[in-house]
Amino acid sequence: MTVTTPTTTTAGAAGADAADGAGSRGGAAARGRGPAGGGAPGPARGTAPGRIFASILWRDLMVTARQPWLFLAEALLQPLFILFIFGKVLADMSYVDPGYVPLLLPGIVGLTAFISALQATALPLVMDFSYSKEIEDRLMAPVGIRLVALEKIVFGAVRGLFAAVLMVPVGILVLGVPWWPLASVPPVLGMLVLGALLGGALGLVLGTVVPARRVGVVFGLALTPLMFTAAAQYSLLSLHGLKWFQIVVGANPITYVNEGLRDVLLSDVDSVPLGLDALVLAAAIVLAALVGVRGFTRRAVD
């Protein structure tokens, strides 16, 4: 016993030292492996949130695609009636000047992008947080809460942009005005994207603030002033005779979507320059997104 015990202990210690040495070499080798050493590439983990974001967005879009007629009715019915009454009926009855019709279409298209995005973001959120609790499925995804909130903004913006793009040929056919030139497509799409993102961001704000039992009242009180002070039926610079109303319209960020579209499409109408429109919209989107994401995070944690 006195001979074997030290021998065993010495052998065990030697084995432990060898294992530690092997483990150290293995750990060093593992740490040495990277993108250049033949191991798994490091950025793979960084792409996971993006893939999850895309999956959630794709799922929401597929749900919309399964009900196309409902989407078209929600997105196009109201602006189509505005175009038909103001641009067709009143024009044929000579109650409005013929030059008013081309001015009306860009404003209604821009308004469609904003309103469709706002409704697609705000109304489902109000229901999710209050009754259906469907938002909990999104919050269980292995991605940050803020990214889920941003997905809601992007989803609403995609719906708003699609509705606005559909509204262009429909409005041209209803009003009988010339087709917009192809050269105007990039700036027009840029302004519509900004308008749709603004609608999605403000929809996130409303969707996290408005309680379900008051959603009808709040939306009625909010949307009506926003629609009629957005310079959709007139130009902002033409209101110089009504200075107080011009200030109110200028404070509405949706105005700069419509002014930007007119600046691109209508050379004979005085409009706010396109660059200034884009700057105002970008600032409004960032501010609304920050407020909306903060409200979404608070509601999700609660």
Side-chain angles (χ1 to χ4, degrees):
M1 294 294 293
T2 57
V3 175
T4 56
T5 301
T7 303
T8 305
T9 306
T10 304
D17 291 339
D20 290 342
S24 299
R25 289 191 298 272
R31 288 191 297 271
R33 288 198 302 267
R45 292 182 180 179
T47 59
R51 292 176 181 175
I52 297 170
F53 179 93
S55 298
I56 298 174
L57 178 61
W58 181 254
R59 180 186 181 278
D60 287 340
L61 292 175
M62 288 299 98
V63 171
T64 300
R66 292 191 187 103
Q67 300 175 323
W69 298 112
L70 179 61
F71 165 70
L72 292 175
E74 292 176 349
L76 301 183
L77 194 60
Q78 186 179 44
L80 183 59
F81 269 95
I82 294 176
L83 276 180
F84 180 72
I85 297 299
F86 285 90
K88 185 66 175 176
V89 175
L90 296 183
D92 289 349
M93 297 175 66
S94 300
Y95 283 113
V96 298
D97 189 89
Y100 175 73
V101 177
L103 182 144
L104 179 65
L105 181 57
I108 298 302
V109 171
L111 193 63
T112 301
F114 174 83
I115 296 296
S116 297
L118 184 143
Q119 290 178 337
T121 307
L123 292 176
L125 272 181
V126 171
M127 297 297 106
D128 287 350
F129 279 123
S130 301
Y131 298 117
S132 68
K133 303 297 182 181
E134 186 179 344
I135 194 65
E136 294 179 358
D137 295 340
R138 310 293 198 279
L139 297 176
M140 292 175 64
V143 70
I145 294 177
R146 292 182 179 87
L147 205 59
V148 176
L150 291 177
E151 187 274 335
K152 291 297 180 183
I153 295 177
V154 174
F155 168 66
V158 171
R159 283 188 49 146
L161 178 63
F162 188 67
V165 170
L166 285 179
M167 196 66 211
V168 174
V170 172
I172 289 175
L173 292 175
V174 169
L175 298 180
V177 297
W179 290 88
W180 293 350
L182 290 177
S184 67
V185 171
V188 165
L189 282 178
M191 295 308 297
L192 292 179
V193 167
L194 291 176
L197 286 173
L198 178 63
L202 287 178
L204 187 68
V205 175
L206 289 178
T208 55
V209 170
V210 178
R213 63 182 179 277
R214 297 179 182 174
V215 61
V217 176
V218 172
F219 268 76
L221 293 176
L223 286 184
T224 301
L226 284 175
M227 289 175 57
F228 288 99
T229 61
Q233 299 90 0
Y234 46 81
S235 172
L236 173 64
L237 300 182
S238 66
L239 297 173
H240 51 81
L242 290 171
K243 197 65 180 179
W244 68 269
F245 190 61
Q246 188 178 47
I247 295 173
V248 172
V249 173
N252 187 343
I254 319 171
T255 295
Y256 300 94
V257 180
N258 302 325
E259 287 293 303
L261 293 175
R262 292 194 185 101
D263 186 64
V264 173
L265 297 169
L266 305 176
S267 58
D268 56 341
V269 176
D270 291 333
S271 303
V272 179
L274 182 65
L276 181 58
D277 296 321
L279 285 176
V280 173
L281 288 171
I285 290 168
V286 170
L287 179 60
L290 289 174
V291 175
V293 169
R294 179 176 296 182
F296 183 91
T297 304
R298 186 179 63 252
R299 290 292 300 272
V301 172
D302 293 343

